[in-house]
Amino acid sequence: MPKKLIHLNKVSYQYEQTEALKDINVSIEEGDFLAIIGPNGSGKSTLLKIILGLLKPTEGEVFLFGEPANLFKEREWIGYVSQKSNSFNTGFPATVEEVVRSGFAKKTGLFHRYPKSIQAKVKYALKSVGMDMHAKKNIGDLSGGQQQRVFIARALISDPKVLILDEPTVGIDSENVRTFYHMLGHLNREHKITIVLVTHDVDAVSKSISHVACLNRTIHFHGFKNDMDSMSDEQLEAWYGHSVRKVNHQKEVQK
Ligand code: ADP
Ligand code: MG
């Protein structure tokens, strides 16, 4: 049986004025590459923050690696790259490799210097996101897209089993977006990292992912990406307000 790494049972979340999530049931299994898609304000970032324990559900339960989230201790098993990390303060005085190494801060705090194996891991993580040649540069001198790849390398440094990314391609130019998702697909298949991603790049991401969740306060579909085609026009309309299928067809015509 595949292992359930993340399980949400009837989760709702209420901000003061807004009910952002209602009655969410989601299971994410080991090896999944899940794309969460939905219009702006549909609760995508809120859902990720609930999984990460940054927000506590108003109702319902969260299980991580089979344990109730409040008892789950292995936080480094879940890597996170937030929506805001690519608007990094350009005056920040740190090199790329220092930023990546800081992902280790907790574990190495007592020793004040990093063992050789960590240097090798920093190099490997940077290489896996195609940034090894920029290791000595100042993080502030990189483009938004390059900074984002450095933050992914930083998340990879503690060998997470799950990587969670919130709209990671904002700031990456369109020709590099496919390469970026190809890189994530590689991490998923070859490095066996389960990936949960919020994105608007439905076309560009579709080759890499295994599963899709369509969210708009509630889950309108969650399953294998190919089964999404079985959603009726009514279901699509209820989810997005207009037919996504039509949007995709228009894109095809424009190509
Ligand atoms: P998405 O990531 O899909 O754009 P969010 O999860 O950020 O959506 O937001 C879902 C809803 O909750 C939106 O209506 C948003 O305005 C509201 N919301 C998000 N964050 C807060 C907050 N910190 N305080 C109050 N309302 C919020
Ligand atoms: Mg968001």
Side-chain angles (χ1 to χ4, degrees):
M1 269 256 294
K3 212 162 128 189
K4 268 188 204 174
L5 302 193
I6 296 165
H7 179 60
L8 273 61
N9 183 31
K10 295 185 181 162
V11 164
S12 299
Y13 189 80
Q14 175 87 38
Y15 291 105
E16 251 172 53
Q17 306 285 335
T18 315
E19 187 180 45
L21 297 172
K22 189 172 172 55
D23 210 15
I24 304 285
N25 295 299
V26 176
S27 284
I28 300 164
E29 295 181 347
E30 192 164 31
D32 284 1
F33 188 155
L34 171 68
I36 299 170
I37 49 181
N40 285 331
S42 59
K44 304 182 297 295
S45 296
T46 304
L47 181 60
L48 295 189
K49 285 175 191 164
I50 292 219
I51 292 172
L52 290 156
L54 300 173
L55 296 174
K56 288 218 158 38
T58 320
E59 282 175 60
E61 302 160 302
V62 180
F63 296 89
L64 302 172
F65 293 80
E67 280 188 72
N70 58 328
L71 300 179
F72 179 72
K73 297 282 183 289
E74 321 296 335
R75 286 283 157 193
E76 75 272 15
W77 288 359
I78 304 179
Y80 176 46
V81 180
S82 77
Q83 199 167 8
K84 288 202 193 87
S85 55
N86 55 352
S87 55
F88 204 78
N89 175 0
T90 49
F92 192 80
T95 64
V96 165
E97 59 182 6
E98 281 167 352
V99 170
V100 175
R101 207 161 48 209
S102 70
F104 270 121
K106 249 191 346 203
K107 282 183 186 163
T108 53
L110 283 176
F111 297 99
H112 299 295
R113 72 192 175 91
Y114 296 97
K116 269 215 178 87
S117 63
I118 290 185
Q119 279 305 354
K121 279 193 164 191
V122 168
K123 214 170 170 185
Y124 182 71
L126 279 172
K127 199 168 178 173
S128 67
V129 297
M131 289 296 291
D132 44 328
M133 72 294 266
H134 300 295
K136 303 288 179 200
K137 283 195 183 155
N138 194 303
I139 182 80
D141 292 338
L142 302 180
S143 72
Q146 289 175 321
Q147 287 181 3
Q148 188 68 330
R149 288 197 267 165
V150 173
F151 284 107
I152 290 170
R154 183 184 189 274
L156 289 177
I157 205 77
S158 49
D159 290 326
K161 298 178 195 302
V162 182
L163 190 57
I164 293 184
L165 306 119
D166 197 346
E167 301 196 30
T169 58
V170 173
I172 301 183
D173 46 288
S174 57
E175 68 247 42
N176 289 321
V177 165
R178 269 170 212 278
T179 324
F180 178 83
Y181 286 127
H182 185 80
M183 180 268 289
L184 288 183
H186 172 83
L187 292 175
N188 173 244
R189 288 187 312 274
E190 311 301 328
H191 299 250
K192 312 287 182 215
I193 298 175
T194 303
I195 298 181
V196 182
L197 166 87
V198 164
T199 183
H200 289 286
D201 311 317
V202 182
D203 282 350
V205 81
S206 67
K207 267 215 179 88
S208 305
I209 59 176
S210 60
H211 291 74
V212 176
C214 300
L215 180 72
N216 199 350
R217 201 165 64 99
T218 61
I219 298 271
H220 289 255
F221 170 84
H222 177 210
F224 289 110
K225 65 173 174 190
N226 292 337
D227 293 341
M228 197 184 152
D229 291 340
S230 67
M231 271 174 93
S232 67
D233 284 348
E234 289 75 22
Q235 282 172 306
L236 284 170
E237 179 122 10
W239 162 48
Y240 221 95
H242 56 78
S243 171
V244 180
R245 223 167 261 152
K246 282 179 194 147
V247 173
N248 281 342
H249 283 181
Q250 278 165 6
K251 270 195 196 157
E252 295 286 81
V253 171
Q254 281 164 11
K255 271 177 198 164

